[in-house]
Amino acid sequence: MLVGGKGTRLRPLTTHTPKPMLPVAGVPFIAHQLARAAAAGVTRVVLATSYLAEVFEDHFQDGSPYGIELVYLTEKEPLGTGGAIRNAASGLTCGPDEPVLIFNGDILSGVDIAALRDSHLAAGADVTLHLTRVEDPRAFGLVPTDAAGRVLEFLEKPETPEQIVTDQINAGCYVFTRSVIDRILAGREVSVERETFPELLESGALLRGVVDTSYWLDLGTPGAFVRGSADLVLGKVDSPAVPGPTGEALLLPGAEVDLGAVLSSGTVVAEGASVAAGAIIEGSVILAGAVIGPDAYVKDSIVGAYATVGARTSLDGAVIGDGAIVEADNELPSGLRVACGTLLPVGAVRTTAGPGGCPAGQVSAAAVHGSGQTRSEVASR
Ligand code: GTP
């Protein structure tokens, strides 16, 4: 599993926690992947770590509670997705002709892992890619295939309509024949999507795509992260790591929600977090120890661990970093991210004109005090 990326699109949540360790529906995201891999018969997993590597081992140890043997291989400097696969090969124990499953550590999917492996073996492929179909493929790597599933080419993030030749995209889960991994150059940064796959194709290797249209979501952005968490809580995607869909909000042990608060289904309130009377939480993730004040309104947002959202403050599609304090009567617009440990004083950010406020649609960040963060981080979108 590739879990060493910096997760820049999810900052500031990834300041202290690597993306694959962020809790989704109450457990670190890769716990879902590990549980699904174990259910498909995988017994040994190499975690290719780099950024904040120690967080994984502290949590998962040797993997025994998950019924899986876990091995950690850490890159001093991130080697990219291809370099990480090459580096992790030293932790593999299988023979040269055996299949190796590779997962990006940020994909929530219902792909049939065993079927993907079986298809790889039956076709005698060098690499088999899980492909999914999306309505708008522009932000993804396109992978057209022929009728037999043979990959024809790799098109990264098409820019013109003519380049959109298929709706099949690389879904971030692969099967490599073990010996093929040795063809990736060792000791340098390599992108599996941009370098390894096109080079293998060019050299005549057999690359196949298997289209599996079950649930699929890349959790790399705040909006997707919130949606994926809610989908797990609501049972729209199965995970053996979640006891069962609640159909409601998920309150983890020690969460305190006042009876006068309203939580939409799919919302998660984590351990030790509290929600005061009159607050409305819609489709959001409230991380451990966070405090939501009276009459606050939190929509499609993520509130970091031990952060505070003050009375009557409203968030819409916002991300609040760990330990940040957004005091009362702030109105944070969609996309606003507040850096970890920052203090936003009472009424510092408003999006509509009020007495003495700025015109509608503008943001006034009048007084911002941080702990080492710059003002641009506070207001970055
Ligand atoms: P962004 O910075 O937001 O793009 O996130 P990211 O750093 O995680 O990159 P990306 O989403 O492209 O990565 C896909 C998967 O590969 C994720 O699970 C990453 O953890 C992993 N990954 C990306 N780069 C590296 C790397 O250099 N080393 C390792 N071991 N894993 C990586």
Side-chain angles (χ1 to χ4, degrees):
M1 283 185 189
L2 307 183
V3 294
K6 292 185 174 159
T8 50
R9 288 167 297 157
L10 271 175
R11 279 187 192 149
L13 293 175
T14 46
T15 306
H16 306 117
T17 308
K19 176 170 58 173
M21 289 300 290
L22 287 170
V24 182
V27 295
F29 173 65
I30 54 159
H32 299 288
Q33 282 192 330
L34 290 173
R36 293 196 73 248
V42 173
T43 54
R44 190 165 183 278
V45 172
V46 178
L47 285 186
T49 59
S50 181
Y51 178 66
L52 300 175
E54 63 287 355
V55 179
F56 295 91
E57 197 158 356
D58 287 351
H59 185 91
F60 288 109
Q61 307 283 317
D62 65 359
S64 42
Y66 293 83
I68 259 181
E69 181 193 352
L70 277 183
V71 178
Y72 301 86
L73 279 176
T74 303
E75 300 138 43
K76 283 197 191 74
E77 291 299 324
L79 290 170
T81 44
I85 294 170
R86 180 69 173 86
N87 191 57
S90 63
L92 300 172
T93 53
C94 58
D97 299 329
E98 290 190 66
V100 179
L101 283 157
I102 295 167
F103 299 86
N104 277 2
D106 56 356
I107 302 294
L108 181 58
S109 93
V111 64
D112 186 338
I113 297 168
L116 197 68
R117 180 189 50 205
D118 292 349
S119 165
H120 178 83
L121 290 171
D126 292 304
V127 180
T128 302
L129 295 92
H130 168 210
L131 308 179
T132 191
R133 296 188 200 281
V134 291
E135 260 176 43
D136 182 0
R138 278 175 301 178
F140 300 98
L142 270 53
V143 187
T145 50
D146 68 13
R150 250 189 125 101
V151 173
L152 298 172
E153 61 179 326
F154 291 92
L155 292 157
E156 272 303 310
K157 301 189 179 145
E159 279 160 18
T160 61
E162 300 78 54
Q163 289 177 315
I164 304 178
V165 294
T166 177
D167 60 356
Q168 296 175 181
I169 63 153
N170 174 354
C173 173
Y174 324 113
V175 190
F176 271 67
T177 297
R178 167 67 187 89
S179 59
V180 175
I181 296 178
D182 293 338
R183 292 164 68 175
I184 303 172
L185 275 181
R188 77 160 172 89
E189 196 176 335
V190 179
S191 160
V192 74
E193 304 87 354
R194 292 187 180 78
E195 297 174 72
T196 309
F197 290 149
E199 284 166 17
L200 283 171
L201 200 60
E202 182 74 34
S203 72
L206 174 56
L207 278 75
R208 295 185 71 251
V210 171
V211 179
D212 177 309
T213 52
S214 54
Y215 183 99
W216 184 86
L217 191 63
D218 174 345
L219 296 186
T221 61
F225 181 84
V226 166
R227 195 159 71 247
S229 181
D231 287 348
L232 277 164
V233 172
L234 297 174
K236 290 186 184 169
V237 52
D238 284 337
S239 164
V242 175
T246 65
E248 298 173 359
L250 174 65
L251 307 188
L252 293 165
E256 285 183 20
V257 177
D258 190 281
L259 286 176
V262 177
L263 308 185
S264 76
S265 53
T267 283
V268 178
V269 184
E271 297 88 347
S274 64
V275 182
I280 299 173
I281 318 284
E282 284 181 12
S284 295
V285 178
I286 313 300
L287 292 176
V291 176
I292 310 296
D295 300 315
Y297 176 59
V298 180
K299 181 180 175 232
D300 299 338
S301 296
I302 308 167
V303 180
Y306 301 97
T308 299
V309 174
R312 296 172 302 281
T313 279
S314 72
L315 315 180
D316 182 353
V319 182
I320 311 298
D322 297 343
I325 300 175
V326 182
E327 290 189 335
D329 299 312
N330 280 290
E331 195 179 339
L332 272 52
S334 180
L336 199 85
R337 301 184 188 207
V338 178
C340 298
T342 299
L343 171 67
L344 281 186
V346 175
V349 179
R350 293 186 172 276
T351 50
T352 51
C358 60
Q362 292 185 16
V363 177
S364 142
V368 170
H369 308 284
S371 51
Q373 286 85 10
T374 64
R375 189 159 154 162
S376 64
E377 277 179 293
V378 172
S380 67
R381 284 175 191 238

